[in-house]
Amino acid sequence: TKNYNFGDKVVATFSDSVIKVSPREDLKKNEVNNLHGLHRKNIFNIVEGLKEHFKITLEINGVGFKAAVVKNNLMLTLGYSHDIAFALPKGVSAKVEGNLITLDSDDKQLVGQVAGEVIALRKTEPYKGKGVKIYGKPILRKEGKKK
């Protein structure tokens, strides 16, 4: 069961298996145009997430960098003096295969937020490419010092 709050500027109606989002009659059109599109897309993402979960795959690069899932925690070894226990929020699951972490959820915003928080633990640095990044995303590499 998903709950979604529309606020007071947009009205949603459900009939014949169709959800219609429209601005309130007494408001000016330019006041609610952006909210209309936002709420329509959020409802679309909720329905899509219930049909098929959203997945984000993260890649860990670095000597000794590794990850494991223990109960509801993502245990990360990212080159610090200690291991990091990242608590996964309710509704997000993780699976680790080698150096890839797959985050899975029916909530698109939540899975993106969790991916961003994991990446923030050790961002990919531009010289050696060590760190956590979204799988398949290119890294802007810099050239080191020259003699």
Side-chain angles (χ1 to χ4, degrees):
T1 311
K2 287 279 185 186
N3 292 327
Y4 183 72
N5 184 8
F6 287 96
D8 59 349
K9 295 185 178 181
V10 177
V11 177
T13 55
F14 180 74
S15 62
D16 300 328
S17 300
V18 175
I19 299 173
K20 184 177 180 184
V21 179
S22 56
R24 252 185 30 211
E25 296 293 327
D26 58 334
L27 296 174
K28 294 179 184 172
K29 187 173 182 178
N30 62 356
E31 254 185 87
V32 255
N33 255 355
N34 55 355
L35 292 176
H36 174 261
L38 169 80
H39 293 306
R40 192 208 67 76
K41 189 64 176 178
N42 284 344
I43 291 172
F44 176 79
N45 285 337
I46 289 171
V47 172
E48 285 296 307
L50 293 174
K51 285 195 314 190
E52 186 174 334
H53 283 205
F54 294 103
K55 296 177 192 294
I56 294 181
T57 304
L58 303 176
E59 181 181 11
I60 300 175
N61 290 322
V63 177
F65 289 16
K66 56 187 172 183
V69 178
V70 178
K71 294 184 183 177
N72 203 25
N73 289 332
L74 185 61
M75 300 300 291
L76 299 163
T77 304
L78 297 175
Y80 296 116
S81 61
H82 59 283
D83 289 347
I84 299 168
F86 184 84
L88 294 170
K90 185 178 180 185
V92 177
S93 63
K95 187 171 70 170
V96 177
E97 295 174 7
N99 68 335
L100 299 178
I101 303 169
T102 304
L103 300 171
D104 184 11
S105 177
D106 62 349
D107 188 344
K108 187 174 187 177
Q109 188 276 333
L110 184 62
V111 76
Q113 178 71 33
V114 170
E117 289 173 5
V118 171
I119 290 170
L121 295 173
R122 176 70 93 172
K123 290 183 182 174
T124 304
E125 57 97 16
Y127 294 100
K128 293 184 180 179
K130 293 170 34 173
V132 182
K133 69 177 183 90
I134 294 177
Y135 181 69
K137 183 177 177 184
I139 306 168
L140 178 66
R141 298 295 298 264
K142 292 184 177 179
E143 191 174 337
K145 288 184 177 180
K146 295 180 183 177
K147 286 189 175 186

